[in-house]
Amino acid sequence: MPLQVSNYSWQQTSTAVFISVPLRGVSVRDADVFCTENYLKVNCPPFLFEVFLYAPIDDESSKAKIGNNTVVFTLHKKEAAMWETLSLSGVDKEMMQKIREKSILQAQERAKEAMEAKAVARREDQKYTLNVMMKIEEEERKKIEDMKENERIKATKELEAWKECQRKAEELKIIQREEKLYHQEKQMEEKRKKLKHKCLTGNSASKNFATKGRNSGNIFFEKLKEDNIPAPRSVGSIKISFTPRVFPTALRESQVAEEEEWLHKQAEARRAMNTDIPELYDLKEEEKNPEWLKDKGNRLFATENYLAAINAYNLAIRLNNRIPLLYLNRAACHLKLKNLHKAIEDSSKAYRIMKLLLRLIHPTKLYKMMLRRFGI
Protein backbone atom coordinates (compact mmCIF):
# COMPACT_ATOMS: atom_id res chain seq x y z
CA MET A 1 0.00 0.00 0.00
CA PRO A 2 1.48 3.42 -1.00
CA LEU A 3 2.45 5.97 1.63
CA GLN A 4 0.45 9.20 1.49
CA VAL A 5 2.67 12.32 1.58
CA SER A 6 1.21 14.94 3.85
CA ASN A 7 4.23 17.05 4.86
CA TYR A 8 4.13 19.31 1.83
CA SER A 9 4.15 23.10 1.73
CA TRP A 10 2.52 25.57 -0.61
CA GLN A 11 2.42 29.26 -1.41
CA GLN A 12 0.29 31.35 -3.74
CA THR A 13 -0.08 34.60 -5.54
CA SER A 14 -3.11 35.96 -7.28
CA THR A 15 -2.10 34.16 -10.52
CA ALA A 16 -0.05 31.11 -9.43
CA VAL A 17 0.33 28.42 -6.80
CA PHE A 18 3.71 26.94 -5.74
CA ILE A 19 3.70 23.48 -4.11
CA SER A 20 6.80 21.74 -2.70
CA VAL A 21 6.47 17.99 -2.09
CA PRO A 22 9.41 16.20 -0.40
CA LEU A 23 9.97 12.70 -1.80
CA ARG A 24 13.05 10.82 -0.72
CA GLY A 25 15.02 9.31 -3.60
CA VAL A 26 12.73 10.79 -6.28
CA SER A 27 14.02 10.96 -9.87
CA VAL A 28 12.60 11.95 -13.21
CA ARG A 29 12.68 8.33 -14.37
CA ASP A 30 10.68 6.94 -11.44
CA ALA A 31 8.18 9.79 -10.85
CA ASP A 32 4.77 9.64 -12.56
CA VAL A 33 3.09 13.09 -12.58
CA PHE A 34 -0.58 13.45 -13.57
CA CYS A 35 -2.19 16.91 -13.67
CA THR A 36 -5.57 18.22 -14.85
CA GLU A 37 -7.65 21.34 -14.13
CA ASN A 38 -8.87 20.14 -10.69
CA TYR A 39 -6.59 17.21 -9.85
CA LEU A 40 -2.86 16.72 -9.22
CA LYS A 41 -1.11 13.43 -8.49
CA VAL A 42 2.49 12.27 -8.08
CA ASN A 43 3.23 8.54 -7.89
CA CYS A 44 6.78 7.64 -6.90
CA PRO A 45 6.76 4.20 -5.22
CA PRO A 46 6.36 3.78 -2.36
CA PHE A 47 5.12 7.39 -2.03
CA LEU A 48 1.87 8.85 -3.34
CA PHE A 49 0.82 12.49 -3.35
CA GLU A 50 -2.54 13.70 -4.62
CA VAL A 51 -4.59 16.84 -4.12
CA PHE A 52 -8.05 17.95 -5.29
CA LEU A 53 -7.45 21.59 -6.16
CA TYR A 54 -9.58 24.39 -4.80
CA ALA A 55 -10.09 26.03 -8.22
CA PRO A 56 -9.28 25.17 -11.85
CA ILE A 57 -5.76 25.71 -13.15
CA ASP A 58 -4.18 25.94 -16.60
CA ASP A 59 -2.54 22.53 -16.74
CA GLU A 60 -0.93 23.19 -20.13
CA SER A 61 1.18 26.09 -18.85
CA SER A 62 1.86 24.58 -15.41
CA LYS A 63 5.27 23.06 -14.71
CA ALA A 64 6.90 20.52 -12.39
CA LYS A 65 10.60 20.48 -11.39
CA ILE A 66 12.07 17.29 -9.90
CA GLY A 67 15.38 17.29 -8.03
CA ASN A 68 17.10 17.21 -4.61
CA ASN A 69 14.49 14.74 -3.25
CA THR A 70 11.76 17.30 -3.91
CA VAL A 71 9.08 17.93 -6.55
CA VAL A 72 8.22 21.64 -7.00
CA PHE A 73 5.00 22.51 -8.90
CA THR A 74 4.22 25.88 -10.46
CA LEU A 75 0.50 25.94 -11.19
CA HIS A 76 -1.05 28.87 -13.08
CA LYS A 77 -4.58 29.81 -12.08
CA LYS A 78 -7.29 30.25 -14.67
CA GLU A 79 -8.85 33.08 -12.70
CA ALA A 80 -6.75 35.57 -10.73
CA ALA A 81 -7.88 35.18 -7.10
CA MET A 82 -6.54 34.12 -3.76
CA TRP A 83 -7.48 30.59 -2.63
CA GLU A 84 -8.68 29.93 0.91
CA THR A 85 -7.10 26.44 0.89
CA LEU A 86 -5.10 24.32 -1.53
CA SER A 87 -7.57 21.46 -1.69
CA LEU A 88 -11.32 21.20 -1.55
CA SER A 89 -12.82 20.66 1.89
CA GLY A 90 -15.58 18.20 2.65
CA VAL A 91 -14.74 15.82 -0.23
CA ASP A 92 -15.84 12.25 0.36
CA LYS A 93 -14.54 9.13 -1.33
CA GLU A 94 -17.31 9.00 -3.93
CA MET A 95 -16.65 12.57 -5.00
CA MET A 96 -12.90 11.87 -5.09
CA GLN A 97 -13.54 8.90 -7.37
CA LYS A 98 -15.67 11.01 -9.68
CA ILE A 99 -13.01 13.72 -9.85
CA ARG A 100 -10.35 11.10 -10.66
CA GLU A 101 -12.47 9.52 -13.41
CA LYS A 102 -13.34 12.92 -14.85
CA SER A 103 -9.69 13.91 -14.84
CA ILE A 104 -8.71 10.68 -16.55
CA LEU A 105 -11.38 11.16 -19.22
CA GLN A 106 -10.23 14.72 -19.77
CA ALA A 107 -6.64 13.57 -20.10
CA GLN A 108 -7.63 10.83 -22.57
CA GLU A 109 -9.69 13.24 -24.67
CA ARG A 110 -6.86 15.73 -24.65
CA ALA A 111 -4.36 13.01 -25.65
CA LYS A 112 -6.72 11.89 -28.42
CA GLU A 113 -7.07 15.47 -29.63
CA ALA A 114 -3.31 15.88 -29.50
CA MET A 115 -2.82 12.68 -31.53
CA GLU A 116 -5.41 13.78 -34.08
CA ALA A 117 -3.81 17.20 -34.28
CA LYS A 118 -0.43 15.55 -34.70
CA ALA A 119 -1.82 13.28 -37.41
CA VAL A 120 -3.41 16.25 -39.16
CA ALA A 121 -0.14 18.16 -38.92
CA ARG A 122 1.75 15.14 -40.27
CA ARG A 123 -0.71 14.84 -43.17
CA GLU A 124 -0.36 18.54 -43.87
CA ASP A 125 3.40 18.20 -43.80
CA GLN A 126 3.24 15.24 -46.17
CA LYS A 127 0.87 17.12 -48.44
CA TYR A 128 3.14 20.14 -48.39
CA THR A 129 6.18 17.96 -49.06
CA LEU A 130 4.36 16.23 -51.91
CA ASN A 131 3.36 19.55 -53.41
CA VAL A 132 6.92 20.80 -53.13
CA MET A 133 8.26 17.61 -54.76
CA MET A 134 5.65 17.82 -57.52
CA LYS A 135 6.57 21.43 -58.09
CA ILE A 136 10.27 20.57 -58.24
CA GLU A 137 9.58 17.68 -60.63
CA GLU A 138 7.39 19.93 -62.76
CA GLU A 139 10.17 22.50 -62.92
CA GLU A 140 12.70 19.81 -63.81
CA ARG A 141 10.38 18.39 -66.46
CA LYS A 142 9.76 21.85 -67.86
CA LYS A 143 13.50 22.49 -67.88
CA ILE A 144 14.12 19.23 -69.75
CA GLU A 145 11.33 20.04 -72.21
CA ASP A 146 12.85 23.47 -72.78
CA MET A 147 16.24 21.90 -73.37
CA LYS A 148 14.70 19.43 -75.83
CA GLU A 149 12.86 22.23 -77.60
CA ASN A 150 16.05 24.30 -77.82
CA GLU A 151 17.96 21.29 -79.17
CA ARG A 152 15.17 20.64 -81.68
CA ILE A 153 15.19 24.27 -82.81
CA LYS A 154 18.99 24.19 -83.06
CA ALA A 155 18.94 20.94 -85.06
CA THR A 156 16.19 22.34 -87.31
CA LYS A 157 18.22 25.48 -87.96
CA GLU A 158 21.32 23.42 -88.73
CA LEU A 159 19.30 21.20 -91.08
CA GLU A 160 17.82 24.22 -92.83
CA ALA A 161 21.28 25.76 -93.14
CA TRP A 162 22.62 22.48 -94.59
CA LYS A 163 19.71 22.31 -97.05
CA GLU A 164 20.37 25.91 -98.05
CA CYS A 165 24.06 25.10 -98.62
CA GLN A 166 23.09 22.06 -100.67
CA ARG A 167 20.63 24.12 -102.70
CA LYS A 168 23.24 26.79 -103.36
CA ALA A 169 25.76 24.12 -104.33
CA GLU A 170 23.23 22.59 -106.76
CA GLU A 171 22.45 25.99 -108.22
CA LEU A 172 26.16 26.65 -108.61
CA LYS A 173 26.61 23.31 -110.37
CA ILE A 174 23.68 24.06 -112.67
CA ILE A 175 25.11 27.49 -113.47
CA GLN A 176 28.55 26.00 -114.17
CA ARG A 177 26.97 23.29 -116.34
CA GLU A 178 25.00 25.89 -118.27
CA GLU A 179 28.12 28.02 -118.73
CA LYS A 180 30.02 25.00 -119.99
CA LEU A 181 27.24 24.13 -122.42
CA TYR A 182 27.10 27.74 -123.55
CA HIS A 183 30.85 27.77 -124.24
CA GLN A 184 30.60 24.46 -126.07
CA GLU A 185 27.74 25.78 -128.21
CA LYS A 186 29.69 28.95 -128.86
CA GLN A 187 32.72 26.93 -129.97
CA MET A 188 30.52 24.78 -132.21
CA GLU A 189 28.99 27.92 -133.70
CA GLU A 190 32.44 29.32 -134.41
CA LYS A 191 33.47 26.03 -136.03
CA ARG A 192 30.34 26.04 -138.18
CA LYS A 193 31.04 29.62 -139.23
CA LYS A 194 34.61 28.71 -140.15
CA LEU A 195 33.42 25.70 -142.13
CA LYS A 196 30.76 27.77 -143.85
CA HIS A 197 33.39 30.36 -144.73
CA LYS A 198 35.63 27.65 -146.16
CA CYS A 199 32.72 26.23 -148.16
CA LEU A 200 31.94 29.65 -149.62
CA THR A 201 35.60 30.11 -150.53
CA GLY A 202 35.60 26.70 -152.23
CA ASN A 203 32.42 27.54 -154.22
CA SER A 204 33.94 30.79 -155.51
CA ALA A 205 37.04 28.94 -156.64
CA SER A 206 34.97 26.25 -158.36
CA LYS A 207 33.70 28.76 -160.91
CA ASN A 208 37.13 28.80 -162.57
CA PHE A 209 38.18 25.26 -161.77
CA ALA A 210 35.07 23.03 -161.90
CA THR A 211 36.76 19.72 -161.34
CA LYS A 212 39.05 21.03 -158.67
CA GLY A 213 36.09 22.80 -157.09
CA ARG A 214 34.09 19.60 -156.90
CA ASN A 215 36.98 17.80 -155.27
CA SER A 216 37.41 20.64 -152.80
CA GLY A 217 33.71 20.57 -151.97
CA ASN A 218 33.91 16.87 -151.29
CA ILE A 219 36.89 17.40 -149.00
CA PHE A 220 35.05 20.09 -147.01
CA PHE A 221 31.99 17.92 -146.82
CA GLU A 222 33.97 14.97 -145.44
CA LYS A 223 35.68 17.23 -142.87
CA LEU A 224 32.32 18.63 -141.81
CA LYS A 225 30.99 15.13 -141.28
CA GLU A 226 34.05 14.24 -139.22
CA ASP A 227 33.57 17.31 -136.98
CA ASN A 228 29.94 16.51 -136.25
CA ILE A 229 29.35 15.19 -132.70
CA PRO A 230 27.77 11.70 -132.76
CA ALA A 231 24.58 11.02 -130.84
CA PRO A 232 24.96 9.52 -127.35
CA ARG A 233 24.88 5.76 -127.07
CA SER A 234 21.84 3.98 -125.71
CA VAL A 235 22.05 2.60 -122.17
CA GLY A 236 22.18 -1.17 -121.77
CA SER A 237 23.35 -3.93 -119.44
CA ILE A 238 25.53 -6.93 -120.22
CA LYS A 239 25.26 -10.05 -118.06
CA ILE A 240 28.52 -11.87 -117.42
CA SER A 241 28.68 -15.35 -115.93
CA PHE A 242 31.84 -17.09 -114.76
CA THR A 243 32.64 -20.75 -114.89
CA PRO A 244 32.54 -22.17 -111.35
CA ARG A 245 35.96 -23.34 -110.19
CA VAL A 246 37.30 -25.04 -107.11
CA PHE A 247 40.60 -23.14 -107.14
CA PRO A 248 40.70 -19.37 -106.56
CA THR A 249 43.07 -18.68 -109.48
CA ALA A 250 41.91 -17.82 -112.99
CA LEU A 251 41.59 -20.59 -115.51
CA ARG A 252 44.26 -19.07 -117.77
CA GLU A 253 46.77 -19.07 -114.89
CA SER A 254 46.09 -22.57 -113.57
CA GLN A 255 47.40 -25.98 -114.50
CA VAL A 256 44.31 -27.91 -115.50
CA ALA A 257 45.89 -31.36 -115.57
CA GLU A 258 47.42 -31.10 -112.12
CA GLU A 259 44.19 -29.64 -110.71
CA GLU A 260 42.07 -32.44 -112.16
CA GLU A 261 44.47 -35.03 -110.73
CA TRP A 262 44.34 -33.38 -107.30
CA LEU A 263 40.54 -33.25 -107.34
CA HIS A 264 40.35 -36.91 -108.35
CA LYS A 265 42.64 -37.91 -105.50
CA GLN A 266 40.60 -35.87 -103.03
CA ALA A 267 37.39 -37.54 -104.17
CA GLU A 268 38.96 -41.00 -103.81
CA ALA A 269 40.19 -40.11 -100.33
CA ARG A 270 36.72 -38.88 -99.32
CA ARG A 271 35.10 -42.05 -100.60
CA ALA A 272 37.61 -44.09 -98.59
CA MET A 273 36.98 -42.06 -95.45
CA ASN A 274 33.19 -42.05 -95.82
CA THR A 275 32.93 -45.82 -95.45
CA ASP A 276 33.38 -45.56 -91.67
CA ILE A 277 30.86 -42.73 -91.09
CA PRO A 278 27.27 -44.03 -90.77
CA GLU A 279 25.83 -40.50 -91.07
CA LEU A 280 26.92 -40.36 -94.75
CA TYR A 281 24.98 -43.43 -95.90
CA ASP A 282 21.82 -41.44 -96.72
CA LEU A 283 23.60 -38.41 -98.24
CA LYS A 284 24.10 -37.69 -101.90
CA GLU A 285 27.56 -37.64 -103.40
CA GLU A 286 27.71 -33.83 -103.54
CA GLU A 287 26.55 -33.62 -99.92
CA LYS A 288 29.60 -35.60 -98.80
CA ASN A 289 31.90 -32.76 -99.82
CA PRO A 290 33.34 -30.75 -96.88
CA GLU A 291 33.07 -27.54 -98.88
CA TRP A 292 29.37 -28.16 -99.48
CA LEU A 293 28.86 -28.88 -95.78
CA LYS A 294 30.78 -25.71 -94.90
CA ASP A 295 28.53 -23.60 -97.14
CA LYS A 296 25.46 -25.24 -95.62
CA GLY A 297 26.75 -24.45 -92.13
CA ASN A 298 27.34 -20.83 -93.18
CA ARG A 299 23.74 -20.55 -94.40
CA LEU A 300 22.44 -22.02 -91.14
CA PHE A 301 24.64 -19.60 -89.19
CA ALA A 302 23.19 -16.68 -91.15
CA THR A 303 19.67 -17.80 -90.12
CA GLU A 304 20.85 -18.03 -86.44
CA ASN A 305 20.34 -21.82 -86.35
CA TYR A 306 23.62 -22.35 -84.52
CA LEU A 307 23.08 -25.97 -83.40
CA ALA A 308 22.35 -27.17 -86.94
CA ALA A 309 25.36 -25.22 -88.19
CA ILE A 310 27.56 -26.96 -85.58
CA ASN A 311 26.28 -30.36 -86.80
CA ALA A 312 27.18 -29.46 -90.40
CA TYR A 313 30.68 -28.30 -89.37
CA ASN A 314 31.16 -31.46 -87.26
CA LEU A 315 30.42 -33.70 -90.23
CA ALA A 316 32.70 -31.65 -92.50
CA ILE A 317 35.53 -31.90 -89.95
CA ARG A 318 35.08 -35.68 -89.80
CA LEU A 319 35.48 -35.75 -93.57
CA ASN A 320 38.51 -33.44 -93.60
CA ASN A 321 40.09 -32.19 -90.38
CA ARG A 322 42.80 -30.17 -92.15
CA ILE A 323 40.58 -27.17 -93.06
CA PRO A 324 41.10 -24.43 -90.43
CA LEU A 325 38.04 -22.45 -91.59
CA LEU A 326 35.74 -25.23 -90.37
CA TYR A 327 37.10 -24.91 -86.84
CA LEU A 328 36.82 -21.12 -86.96
CA ASN A 329 33.19 -21.24 -88.10
CA ARG A 330 32.32 -23.78 -85.43
CA ALA A 331 34.05 -21.57 -82.83
CA ALA A 332 31.82 -18.68 -83.94
CA CYS A 333 28.73 -20.87 -83.37
CA HIS A 334 29.94 -21.84 -79.90
CA LEU A 335 30.59 -18.19 -79.13
CA LYS A 336 27.00 -17.31 -80.08
CA LEU A 337 25.77 -20.13 -77.79
CA LYS A 338 28.04 -18.88 -74.93
CA ASN A 339 30.12 -22.10 -75.03
CA LEU A 340 33.34 -20.20 -74.41
CA HIS A 341 35.60 -23.18 -73.66
CA LYS A 342 34.63 -24.93 -76.91
CA ALA A 343 35.08 -21.69 -78.84
CA ILE A 344 38.61 -21.30 -77.44
CA GLU A 345 39.38 -24.96 -78.21
CA ASP A 346 38.25 -24.69 -81.87
CA SER A 347 40.13 -21.39 -82.34
CA SER A 348 43.31 -22.99 -80.98
CA LYS A 349 42.93 -25.98 -83.36
CA ALA A 350 42.48 -23.63 -86.33
CA TYR A 351 45.59 -21.70 -85.30
CA ARG A 352 47.69 -24.88 -85.03
CA ILE A 353 46.51 -26.13 -88.46
CA MET A 354 47.27 -22.79 -90.13
CA LYS A 355 50.69 -22.66 -88.48
CA LEU A 356 51.45 -26.21 -89.71
CA LEU A 357 50.32 -25.39 -93.25
CA LEU A 358 52.52 -22.29 -93.35
CA ARG A 359 55.53 -24.41 -92.31
CA LEU A 360 54.86 -26.98 -95.04
CA ILE A 361 54.55 -24.43 -97.83
CA HIS A 362 57.83 -23.35 -99.43
CA PRO A 363 58.47 -19.56 -99.15
CA THR A 364 58.83 -19.14 -102.93
CA LYS A 365 55.58 -21.02 -103.55
CA LEU A 366 53.85 -18.99 -100.84
CA TYR A 367 55.06 -15.77 -102.46
CA LYS A 368 53.73 -16.86 -105.86
CA MET A 369 50.39 -17.83 -104.31
CA MET A 370 50.10 -14.38 -102.73
CA LEU A 371 50.95 -12.69 -106.04
CA ARG A 372 48.37 -14.83 -107.84
CA ARG A 373 45.78 -14.24 -105.13
CA PHE A 374 46.06 -10.46 -105.27
CA GLY A 375 46.39 -10.35 -109.07
CA ILE A 376 49.90 -8.88 -109.17
Side-chain angles (χ1 to χ4, degrees), residues 287-326:
E287 296 175 352
K288 299 178 182 179
N289 187 352
E291 292 293 332
W292 186 88
L293 292 171
K294 178 175 70 68
D295 295 337
K296 182 177 180 180
N298 294 343
R299 291 192 297 271
L300 293 171
F301 182 86
T303 59
E304 299 183 359
N305 191 355
Y306 304 121
L307 293 176
I310 289 174
N311 293 332
Y313 294 138
N314 290 339
L315 189 57
I317 289 172
R318 293 183 65 181
L319 291 173
N320 189 352
N321 58 358
R322 297 296 183 89
I323 302 176
L325 192 58
L326 296 175

Side-chain angles (χ1 to χ4, degrees), residues 29-181:
R29 182 182 59 186
D30 299 332
D32 182 13
V33 179
F34 180 72
C35 180
T36 60
E37 292 181 353
N38 298 310
Y39 180 68
L40 176 63
K41 183 180 75 170
V42 180
N43 184 15
C44 182
F47 302 104
L48 176 64
F49 170 77
E50 66 176 352
V51 60
F52 300 92
L53 299 174
Y54 180 81
I57 63 170
D58 187 3
D59 56 341
E60 292 183 357
S61 61
S62 298
K63 298 180 181 178
K65 183 178 180 182
I66 301 174
N68 297 326
N69 297 324
T70 307
V71 180
V72 179
F73 293 98
T74 303
L75 307 178
H76 297 279
K77 299 177 182 179
K78 282 193 173 182
E79 296 180 359
M82 298 299 290
W83 293 357
E84 296 179 359
T85 59
L86 179 62
S87 61
L88 290 173
S89 59
V91 180
D92 56 2
K93 291 184 178 180
E94 185 178 354
M95 188 174 181
M96 290 180 182
Q97 186 64 27
K98 288 182 180 180
I99 293 174
R100 291 191 189 100
E101 292 176 356
K102 184 179 178 181
S103 300
I104 292 172
L105 290 175
Q106 289 178 355
Q108 290 177 352
E109 290 177 359
R110 190 172 300 170
K112 184 178 179 181
E113 292 175 357
M115 290 180 62
E116 291 178 355
K118 189 176 181 180
V120 171
R122 184 166 57 251
R123 285 195 297 270
E124 291 295 330
D125 292 341
Q126 291 177 355
K127 185 177 179 180
Y128 175 75
T129 305
L130 182 61
N131 291 333
V132 171
M133 291 299 295
M134 290 176 63
K135 187 176 180 181
I136 293 173
E137 290 179 358
E138 184 66 26
E139 291 177 355
E140 291 292 333
R141 184 162 51 249
K142 186 176 180 181
K143 184 178 179 181
I144 292 171
E145 291 295 332
D146 293 340
M147 292 175 63
K148 289 182 179 179
E149 184 66 20
N150 294 333
E151 290 294 330
R152 187 187 66 80
I153 293 172
K154 183 179 178 181
T156 304
K157 289 182 179 179
E158 291 178 355
L159 181 61
E160 292 296 333
W162 179 80
K163 287 183 178 179
E164 184 67 21
C165 292
Q166 293 294 322
R167 186 181 62 79
K168 290 182 179 179
E170 291 293 333
E171 290 179 355
L172 182 61
K173 288 182 180 179
I174 292 172
I175 293 171
Q176 291 177 354
R177 193 181 302 114
E178 290 178 352
E179 290 180 354
K180 186 177 181 180
L181 291 174

